[in-house]
Amino acid sequence: MRMWGGRFTGETDPLIAEATRSVEVDRALAVDDIDGSIAHVRGLERAGLLTGEESGRLVEGLRALRRDVEAGTFAWDPALEDVHLNLEAALTARLGPVAGKLHTGRSRNDQVALDLRLWLRRTIRELDGDMVGLERALVDRAERDGEAVLPGMTHVQPAQPVLLAHHLLAYVEMLERDRGRLADCARRADRSPLGAGALAGAGFDLDREATAAELGFAGVTANSLDAVSDRDFVVEFLAAAALAMVHLSRLAEELVWWSNPAFGWVTLADAHATGSSMMPNKKNPDPCELVRARAARVAGHLSTMLGVLKGLPLAYQRDLQEDKGPLFDGAAVLGSSLRVMAAVMAGVMIHADRMREAALGGHITATSVADALVERGLPFRVAHHVAGRLVAEAERRGCRLDELAEGAFVAALGDEQDPDAKRLAAEAADERTGVAQALREAATLEAAVARPRVLGGTAPERVHEAIAAARERLNGLAG
Ligand code: ARG
């Protein structure tokens, strides 16, 4: 097979052709490649390098190719190394010699850089929609089951009670930042490299800005060497995608645990779980597990791209062809994982009673008791000590903090050396003050979850505001 023109007399070794071709992968760029070519043709016409008639025929031919590609009827030829050569050959077969004018002032180096940026722009648009879709599923769920209280954890140990809605909205925050990172990546990639040629810049007086504007870019790249060898945007995209996958993986991990009967906090829909080929009892959270594992896959893609780029001198090197597998797979995995998690969140059944039961264990209202003591004049360290003694007492008795007798609160205070504690113990001992009763009241789940009224806290009124704000923001988005 001979395709490199007059310089070559020998054929490409089939082994080498096989090892270097990329068409199976980069055919995903076909529509972007054609759109870029159409804009380039118009640019060539404006520069006087094509007649209006030639330009018209080329555009017409390219549009016909686009229809074939979209209909899935385009005949890809593996003997032609990549998407660019396939499309040019097909155009030549259709139009004859005039097709040979298309590649004027252009190299596959600026062409592929352009295609990737166009591909990335439309892909980020789709992924943004998928992210919004998951945010909606989380907010819907927060509205429907958000009153449920669960034991918030640190160190995977019961810590303080939080509303389920608060927990779910934490993921909405992560997703919002993920959207911001993708938008940021899209913004920086919004420059047309077309006209950079192979590396030095096209040898014709092309109006790069007009072509860029026609393709909807905000501007053009400023340096031709950079334009053909820059893949920063691929790295930025994969970094954003890898981090978004980490967020999805954390959510998936929680659902895996929560659906274990020992937790029993949620039941996954039958449609979102799988059984076992051997154990009839099994109901497995496989979709969540696969999302979790695929976070590693996308992180690997990021690492691959950093590795590919770090040793490359300017300008284009063939190594850059290896950007497509990681980029395409990273985007596909992220999109599918977002849609999977949205479906799982929409279908999951929440068991508020089991969450509450778990929240009633672990003495997770102790901080609320300590805070109530501080409110009555104790230094926090003393309050912490008193509440800790009350926890120990409840452990001994096998009861909850709010089930302790009021006398236990008086006794714990009285045992402290601190003068404020002594004073409060005396007050609490007098039933008429209602102090002991109020402290016990602070130990209830309701009081503890209502206490963090601070901005960003889990108190129900704050969470309702947060849900409303998220809902309003989502309603303001198109689609
Ligand atoms: N398939 C190539 C790539 O993806 C297209 C550019 C090829 N350029 C070249 N000089 N061989 O990078």
Side-chain angles (χ1 to χ4, degrees):
M1 175 203 13
R2 191 173 303 151
M3 56 183 177
W4 304 120
R7 167 93 171 70
F8 283 73
T9 49
E11 314 252 313
T12 306
D13 182 337
L15 175 77
I16 300 303
E18 165 79 29
T20 54
R21 80 162 176 254
S22 57
V23 64
E24 289 85 352
V25 175
D26 62 23
R27 50 187 276 189
L29 296 172
V31 291
D32 307 295
D33 195 75
I34 293 169
D35 291 346
S37 288
I38 290 174
H40 183 58
V41 165
R42 297 220 175 92
L44 292 175
E45 184 190 347
R46 276 194 297 271
L49 293 159
L50 291 175
T51 66
E53 194 266 338
E54 287 169 330
S55 151
R57 284 176 60 208
L58 285 168
V59 169
E60 200 36 57
L62 286 162
R63 285 198 180 128
L65 291 188
R66 203 182 195 286
R67 284 193 290 274
D68 289 353
V69 166
E70 279 180 332
T73 54
F74 185 87
W76 294 99
D77 181 359
L80 297 165
E81 139 181 325
D82 58 22
V83 60
H84 322 293
L85 297 183
N86 260 270
L87 291 170
E88 192 178 336
L91 194 68
T92 305
R94 198 179 284 258
L95 302 182
V98 70
K101 297 196 170 189
L102 170 63
H103 214 52
T104 310
R106 188 175 74 169
S107 154
R108 281 184 298 159
N109 298 351
D110 58 347
Q111 189 178 356
V112 73
L114 172 70
D115 295 359
L116 279 175
R117 287 170 189 252
L118 290 173
W119 179 91
L120 194 66
R121 180 169 74 191
R122 67 185 167 91
T123 300
I124 286 179
R125 218 175 278 145
E126 281 168 25
L127 288 171
D128 187 66
D130 291 332
M131 285 184 173
V132 169
L134 177 53
E135 284 190 36
R136 288 210 166 98
L138 288 161
V139 172
D140 286 350
R141 190 44 75 173
E143 269 175 354
R144 214 167 340 145
D145 296 291
E147 299 294 330
V149 176
L150 57 92
M153 293 182 256
T154 61
H155 313 265
V156 201
Q157 302 300 317
Q160 285 184 273
V162 294
L163 290 185
L164 174 63
H166 195 55
H167 195 106
L168 296 176
L169 288 181
Y171 286 98
V172 174
E173 291 296 311
M174 293 176 228
L175 285 161
E176 267 304 288
R177 293 195 296 275
D178 291 329
R179 291 183 65 214
R181 271 181 283 270
L182 284 186
D184 198 37
C185 166
R187 188 174 55 75
R188 248 189 308 282
D190 193 12
R191 291 276 177 281
S192 171
L194 201 61
L199 77 165
F204 303 96
D205 196 12
L206 300 173
D207 184 349
R208 294 187 60 210
E209 268 151 359
T211 306
E214 186 169 332
L215 286 167
F217 283 104
V220 297
T221 55
N223 179 297
S224 62
L225 293 169
D226 179 46
V228 293
S229 58
D230 165 35
R231 293 295 182 274
D232 288 11
F233 57 90
V234 176
V235 171
E236 286 190 42
F237 174 80
L238 287 173
L243 185 47
M245 284 300 296
V246 164
H247 295 151
L248 299 187
S249 179
R250 297 180 75 174
L251 178 59
E253 167 84 354
E254 298 205 290
L255 290 172
V256 168
W257 279 106
W258 291 6
S259 61
N260 179 305
F263 272 77
W265 295 1
V266 301
T267 302
L268 295 171
D270 281 1
H272 303 143
T274 49
S276 155
S277 59
M278 185 180 129
M279 300 168 283
N281 56 310
K282 292 291 294 197
K283 183 171 179 186
N284 298 327
D286 296 37
C288 291
E289 296 167 77
L290 288 167
V291 165
R292 191 171 59 186
R294 287 173 189 157
R297 185 161 136 196
V298 180
H301 292 335
L302 171 61
S303 168
T304 296
M305 268 318 288
L306 289 168
V308 164
L309 291 175
K310 76 170 184 55
L312 298 189
L314 296 181
Y316 178 86
Q317 316 297 336
R318 188 63 180 271
D319 310 49
L320 293 173
Q321 178 168 294
E322 290 294 294
D323 59 3
K324 289 167 206 68
L327 177 61
F328 295 170
D329 187 66
V333 165
L334 176 57
S336 108
S337 301
L338 286 163
R339 294 188 296 274
V340 163
M341 293 313 293
V344 167
M345 277 317 306
V348 74
M349 190 192 295
I350 304 289
H351 302 301
D353 52 334
R354 294 294 304 269
M355 286 184 181
R356 186 179 170 81
E357 210 175 292
L360 286 171
H363 309 299
I364 63 175
T365 62
T367 306
S368 171
V369 173
D371 289 348
L373 289 167
V374 167
E375 241 165 22
R376 286 173 174 75
L378 262 59
F380 181 73
R381 280 297 153 221
V382 177
H384 185 285
H385 198 249
V386 172
R389 305 257 321 236
L390 289 166
V391 169
E393 178 67 9
E395 291 265 88
R396 249 189 315 275
R397 295 180 177 275
C399 70
R400 299 194 312 263
L401 284 174
D402 63 328
E403 289 171 336
L404 285 172
E406 285 171 15
F409 290 81
V410 178
L413 281 164
D415 283 348
E416 296 293 323
Q417 293 308 313
D418 181 80
D420 291 312
K422 291 269 182 243
R423 174 192 46 77
L424 192 58
E427 257 179 65
D430 181 348
E431 249 176 59
R432 288 165 307 176
T433 63
V435 168
Q437 199 190 339
L439 292 176
R440 194 164 73 164
E441 166 65 24
T444 62
L445 209 49
E446 283 62 35
V449 84
R451 185 149 192 121
R453 275 179 212 96
V454 68
L455 206 61
T458 194
E461 68 258 42
R462 281 287 174 246
V463 174
H464 287 145
E465 284 164 16
I467 291 176
R471 179 60 78 197
E472 196 181 309
R473 185 172 50 69
L474 290 172
N475 284 344
L477 297 174

